[in-house]
Amino acid sequence: MNNDDTIVAAGRGLALPMAAGEFAVIENIHGTQVVDAWAVSQADPYEYSAMEHTRSVNSSIFLEKGMAAVSIHRRPMLTMVEDSSPGRHDTLLCPCNAPLYKELRCDGYHRSCTDNFHEALETVGVALPFTPASLNLFMNVPVLADGSVDRQPPASRAGDTVVLRAEMDLLLVLSACPQDITPINGADRTPQDVGVRIVDAWPPGSAR
Ligand SMILES: [Zn+2]
């Protein structure tokens, strides 16, 4: 972990402003933590990362190194320029949410990536009346030949890092997924902290 890292606390969310050309270095400190991610345009919050267009533009159900998550207007928002993980980043499944935890028989309130998204945006004065689909970093959801989706613990390891370049001025919203009932965040079902830092060059020290 880098000393400059901001911590996305286990089970919590964070919104980070990024200028076009800046890089977000996201580190899976403990190895198997899923990070739900969104981009929201600073100029117009109704332009946000859209997984349906991202799959269409990339002809892929996973976001891989070299691919961009695009907006609802199919403009690049975040390009994955580095990935030390085995490269499984789900675009299919929804961010976890209150009805889902009710289905899992949680009594009372359970934190969710959906609530983290809206709470994080609120801290920077932005509100959206809906929840866009999330880019699920490190989330390992293989699609089988019969069309069914499996849900596996992440294949990433402690210290695995993805680097995303902002292609416009945007808010990067991250949620260290609070799911602790299924093993989607690892077999120990314990949400963990994630590290993130915004840098203006990648690799470090290179010219912009
Ligand atoms: Zn979640």
Side-chain angles (χ1 to χ4, degrees):
M1 211 191 105
N2 188 295
N3 287 337
D4 299 334
D5 276 7
T6 297
I7 296 297
V8 186
R12 300 279 170 163
L14 196 65
L16 296 166
M18 294 180 73
E22 288 185 325
F23 299 84
V25 183
I26 301 165
E27 181 179 344
N28 208 327
I29 298 169
H30 298 274
T32 60
Q33 177 62 47
V34 168
V35 184
D36 287 34
W38 296 262
V40 176
S41 165
Q42 289 188 26
D44 171 14
Y46 282 83
E47 182 167 18
Y48 51 84
S49 49
M51 290 304 101
E52 69 273 43
H53 291 291
T54 296
R55 290 189 294 270
S56 168
V57 163
N58 293 302
S59 295
S60 175
I61 55 170
F62 302 114
L63 193 77
E64 298 179 355
K65 183 178 172 180
M67 296 178 179
V70 303
S71 76
I72 196 81
H73 303 312
R74 295 173 77 89
R75 299 199 301 158
M77 295 191 85
L78 293 168
T79 301
M80 187 174 285
V81 296
E82 197 62 71
D83 181 11
S84 70
S85 82
R88 280 291 171 262
H89 306 289
D90 171 69
T91 68
L92 289 175
L93 295 189
C94 59
C96 62
N97 54 80
L100 183 153
Y101 286 110
K102 199 164 264 185
E103 288 166 20
L104 293 171
R105 304 190 178 180
C106 281
D107 287 331
Y109 181 69
H110 193 291
R111 296 201 65 78
S112 70
C113 289
T114 296
D115 287 355
N116 286 344
F117 171 76
H118 293 288
E119 286 179 16
L121 281 185
E122 198 179 324
T123 66
V124 289
V126 174
L128 282 178
F130 55 87
T131 309
S134 44
L135 165 61
N136 302 313
L137 296 171
F138 307 109
M139 188 158 143
N140 187 8
V141 179
V143 178
L144 308 183
D146 68 358
S148 60
V149 293
D150 200 2
R151 291 175 175 83
Q152 294 286 328
S156 44
R157 301 141 300 196
D160 270 344
T161 297
V162 299
V163 182
L164 303 172
R165 184 178 62 225
E167 305 296 355
M168 64 176 74
D169 294 347
L170 54 80
L171 299 164
L172 175 69
V173 183
L174 300 176
S175 170
C177 179
Q179 175 61 271
D180 55 2
I181 298 160
T182 76
I184 203 72
N185 287 311
D188 60 1
R189 301 170 201 239
T190 304
Q192 301 282 1
D193 293 351
V194 171
V196 58
R197 64 184 181 278
I198 307 298
V199 298
D200 60 9
W202 189 267
S206 64
R208 270 186 97 164

